[in-house]
Amino acid sequence: MITASTWVPRGAAAQFPTKYDIDEKELARISKLAKLQLKDAEEDLDEARHGAQNGAPHPEEKESDSSGDNQEGNVEMAYMNGDADDDLKEYDLDTYDSDGAAGGEKGDTMAMFGNARSLAYHASNAEDPYITMPENDEEGEEREDLQVLATDNMVVAAKVEDEVAHLEIYVYEDEAENLYVHHDIMLPAIPLCVEWLDLPVGKGIAADTNSKGNYVAVGTFDPDIELWDLDTIDSMYPNTILGQGGEATTAKPDLDPDPSSNTPQTLNKKRRKKSNKANPNYHVDAILSLAANRQHRNLLASSSADKTVKLWDLTTQQCAKSYSYHTDKICSIAWHPKESTVLLSGSYDRTIIAADLRTTESSMVKVPRWGVESDVETVAWDPHDSNYFYATTECGMIHFHDIRLAPSSPSASKPLWKLQAHSESVSSFDINPHIPGFLVTGSTDKETKIWNVSPDKGPSMIVSRNLGVGKVFTTRFAPDAEVGFRLAVAGSKGAMQIWDTSTNAAVRGAFAGRIEPSRGKTGEEEVKERLIGVQEDSSDEEDEGGVEPGGEGREREDEWESMDDV
């Protein structure tokens, strides 16, 4: 399952990513990050052992335990009490490594590397006749495989597979029509949202708002926000953590490995004090949405299931302000494209608020509120006219509002237009940053739809597709003009698809005046529609029997629907 995704603009990624290097400072930093988790795990293990020895059942293990579970517990207790020793005596495992040789003579010890003295070694691999491949050739091939060209785009996907949460970083080569996984990053909890950042943060990096980087912020079911460097391969821990989990590393900027204020006992107490009560300095529940301020690059906004919006200063890695103007979970936020201090937010309290974050908390009661008929799923400003914004809801509706027509109360809200876009929740929504009126919606009904919004006629559906990704959770247009018609779509099946919408006849017809001919063809010539996914290994396809002609591909074509077919 892919829950969220984001594009990385061309040229933002390093041409040759670096390998993760652990020096003394980095080791001290990750030791602090791991110390809380280790202490908690040790305490849980001690509690479990204590309960097992005393025969006390775990609080969650009541009379509903099956007989199989009870039998397994009895076997485990038997081994703990030494009852199974008799069954193992015949194998004499205690003297297994010291068995004599044939004839009763004492043989050589079977320890690991026990015959190391008899091995031949060379000062340099070049002198070893058995090493025939030069080291530089192997390193060169690996370096070439990791290379990211200036014409490549990265796509970051938050994925859960076999109960393992991680980020998959794809590289999309438009000219070659190729999409592949470049590297991945393991995560501690299920990811819910991702946001690309161009400001270097963490690991003792000096606060410089003029420097550029390639980072991603990740919000998960845990209340902390992790920031990762996308140009570093095989990272073990994030560059920094925003929230209570990051207090251990931000308390001492010099990364002193043994500060008195951050002893294991103190850190453990901090972790144990976590509660669901709202805190002004960090979130206490799942992170549902993230929004980077593109004008003030050191600012990152976050919204949470704890009903608060928080403003983070990335240079200090601390929460600058906290706001509680919603009464339920806040699922989506977006910065105004021109007014850099205005933040749009949508909540499960069925209201949308456009707040100027320079105002005080007490003044927030006067901010305008728009009401909708059900829980808000996404909110977004129109990048081509910042006086308007969109909101999608759980019941499949799209609302289009003029911010200048603020209602006196949520119940008095009157959108310029609203549309029943899907039969189920509109779980994803995006606006093309280069083509006015070009919208995309994705839904849990498994459909991805393209819309054309004209000022005089309003919205009209251009094409509807079932792209085979299951329930659609994320739809994102590419950020660069050269690939402005490329659309990343993913969902419950865990597959990422890049759809070149310019190869669709209905899209070309609707946006004829705003689209360049695809690969030298005119708008009336036939163009094969392009849908690009990660290529599966041919050996895996053979093992699974492959795909029969007219099978999956034929079925998908039947599911597709466009305005040309009507």
Side-chain angles (χ1 to χ4, degrees), residues 458-500:
S460 60
M461 190 186 77
I462 302 302
V463 62
S464 178
R465 290 284 186 269
N466 184 330
L467 300 178
V469 299
K471 296 181 179 180
V472 183
F473 294 144
T474 175
T475 53
R476 300 296 295 268
F477 281 110
D480 303 291
E482 297 84 353
V483 287
F485 282 89
R486 311 307 184 265
L487 178 65
V489 183
S492 59
K493 289 188 177 180
M496 172 64 68
Q497 299 281 6
I498 305 296
W499 181 17
D500 183 356

Side-chain angles (χ1 to χ4, degrees), residues 153-164:
N153 283 98
M154 276 187 171
V155 182
V156 182
K159 191 171 183 178
V160 181
E161 187 175 16
D162 297 331
E163 299 183 359
V164 177

